[in-house]
Amino acid sequence: MKFDLHCHSNYSDGKHPPDFLVQRALANQVTHLAITDHDCTAAKDEIKNIDGTMTLIAGVEISCKWRESEIHIVGLCIKSEEPKLESLLLVQQARRRTRLADMNTKLQQLGIDGLDNYCANLPSKALSRSHVADFLTDMKIVKDRRKAFKTFLSKRGRIYVEPNWCDMAQAIDTIHSAKGLSVLAHPTRYPLSRGKLTELVDDFVIAGGDAMEVSYGNLDLSAQKHLTQIAIAKSLCVSAGSDFHNSAEHWTDIGKFLPLNNLAEKNAIWTHPKWHS
């Protein structure tokens, strides 16, 4: 079996439609795929043909707040029609639209117009700073997305707007209400010291979190080993996924990340009693 439990379609900030992700996963011999769009589950309604050799896992990635940091919680094996989950995702999507409207106002004050029309023509249900970066790049305001974030979209950027996410405990509780398993996504990608990361994991456990990603795109072997040790020490299951967004990014692909070591395999999320229960 080959699992990829974290990837994104163009219903959030990915570049490709859901069917592309499915076909890519099949080509890469993935047997279990979770499309985990940010604050959105719309991708499931578009997927029409699944080869019998692959299982699609219902998923989502919820942006939330922990202290002063933004973190992401993946929900797997969710019942996406559960009212509490649907309600939270609609609120999150509305918060995203409000944030982009505020960014658009700041852009207009700088003499840059057109972001609202650009976003209106996107399939995304969960608009993000990535879409603004694409707009700025397409408009030749900046040479690439990296420059867009540095100049405009980072915390010190010219049009930065603070997000208004739900808190971590609410995200975990909502995933559980939808019969899902909650996963702390890509822990090393947050700007946290090792001590702060330990505190985050402790608070995640206290809030009822189920698992932690220990393998994902561009993670090295020593970091994977360290994350696995943390997860096991905290009695968390482990999860893994590419965090795939774009086929043009050659450092990542669906199913492309370090395989779990033996210790991690024994504690993988697909061994959890509630997996597909």
Side-chain angles (χ1 to χ4, degrees):
M1 294 189 296
K2 186 175 181 180
F3 291 77
D4 190 332
L5 303 178
H6 188 159
C7 65
H8 297 275
S9 79
N10 58 2
Y11 278 105
S12 62
D13 60 346
K15 288 294 187 181
H16 309 288
D19 277 335
F20 177 95
L21 272 61
V22 169
Q23 296 307 312
R24 189 83 165 197
L26 288 168
N28 292 350
Q29 299 180 317
V30 170
T31 61
H32 295 73
L33 178 71
I35 298 177
T36 54
D37 280 321
H38 294 283
D39 299 318
C40 172
T41 62
K44 70 181 186 330
D45 297 324
E46 186 177 313
I47 297 170
K48 300 174 179 65
N49 298 309
I50 294 287
D51 187 287
T53 62
M54 192 175 75
T55 300
L56 194 66
I57 309 298
V60 70
E61 184 174 10
I62 300 177
S63 296
C64 54
K65 182 170 61 177
W66 175 74
R67 300 184 187 178
E68 300 304 315
S69 298
E70 175 181 328
I71 66 163
H72 296 163
I73 304 295
V74 166
L76 298 173
C77 301
I78 56 170
K79 306 293 184 185
S80 54
E81 296 81 10
E82 197 280 327
K84 191 171 180 179
L85 177 62
E86 284 189 331
S87 177
L88 176 61
L89 298 186
L90 287 174
V91 168
Q92 294 274 98
Q93 291 167 26
R95 288 168 172 166
R96 287 176 175 276
R97 290 192 296 272
T98 298
R99 188 186 190 195
L100 256 73
D102 291 343
M103 289 182 183
N104 186 44
T105 297
K106 291 189 174 189
L107 280 175
Q108 289 174 330
Q109 290 169 350
L110 296 172
I112 302 170
D113 203 2
L115 177 64
D116 48 354
N117 290 332
Y118 178 87
C119 290
N121 291 314
L122 296 174
S124 179
K125 306 292 183 184
L127 296 167
S128 69
R129 287 184 296 166
S130 292
H131 297 109
V132 183
D134 288 339
F135 166 75
L136 292 170
T137 304
D138 291 352
M139 292 287 289
K140 311 296 184 186
I141 305 298
V142 293
K143 66 177 181 179
D144 55 31
R145 283 162 54 98
R146 184 183 300 241
K147 186 68 173 178
F149 271 90
K150 182 177 180 180
T151 304
F152 290 94
L153 297 164
S154 66
K155 283 199 172 184
R156 295 184 178 181
R158 300 178 72 186
I159 64 165
Y160 180 75
V161 176
E162 193 73 22
N164 181 28
W165 308 130
C166 67
D167 64 33
M168 180 172 68
Q170 183 183 3
I172 294 170
D173 178 67
T174 302
I175 289 167
H176 288 166
S177 74
K179 311 302 181 187
L181 293 164
S182 56
V183 183
L184 179 60
H186 42 63
T188 61
R189 292 187 182 166
Y190 309 120
L192 301 172
S193 66
R194 280 204 170 190
K196 288 294 183 184
L197 177 58
T198 299
E199 292 177 22
L200 168 61
V201 176
D202 286 341
D203 286 352
F204 177 73
V205 171
I206 291 168
D210 301 298
M212 185 169 80
E213 287 183 353
V214 303
S215 189
Y216 38 91
N218 217 24
L219 187 73
D220 64 44
L221 192 60
S222 62
Q224 184 204 47
K225 182 178 179 181
H226 177 64
L227 290 177
T228 300
Q229 290 171 339
I230 292 174
I232 302 306
K234 303 296 182 181
S235 299
L236 292 169
C237 288
V238 304
S239 188
S242 60
D243 197 12
F244 174 83
H245 286 74
N246 185 359
S247 60
E249 295 170 344
H250 300 298
W251 59 270
T252 185
D253 198 352
I254 292 182
K256 181 181 178 181
F257 46 88
L258 289 171
L260 299 181
N261 61 33
N262 290 336
L263 180 61
E265 280 279 1
K266 292 177 182 177
N267 294 274
I269 193 169
W270 49 88
T271 68
H272 192 288
K274 292 184 179 179
W275 180 262
H276 270 164
S277 61

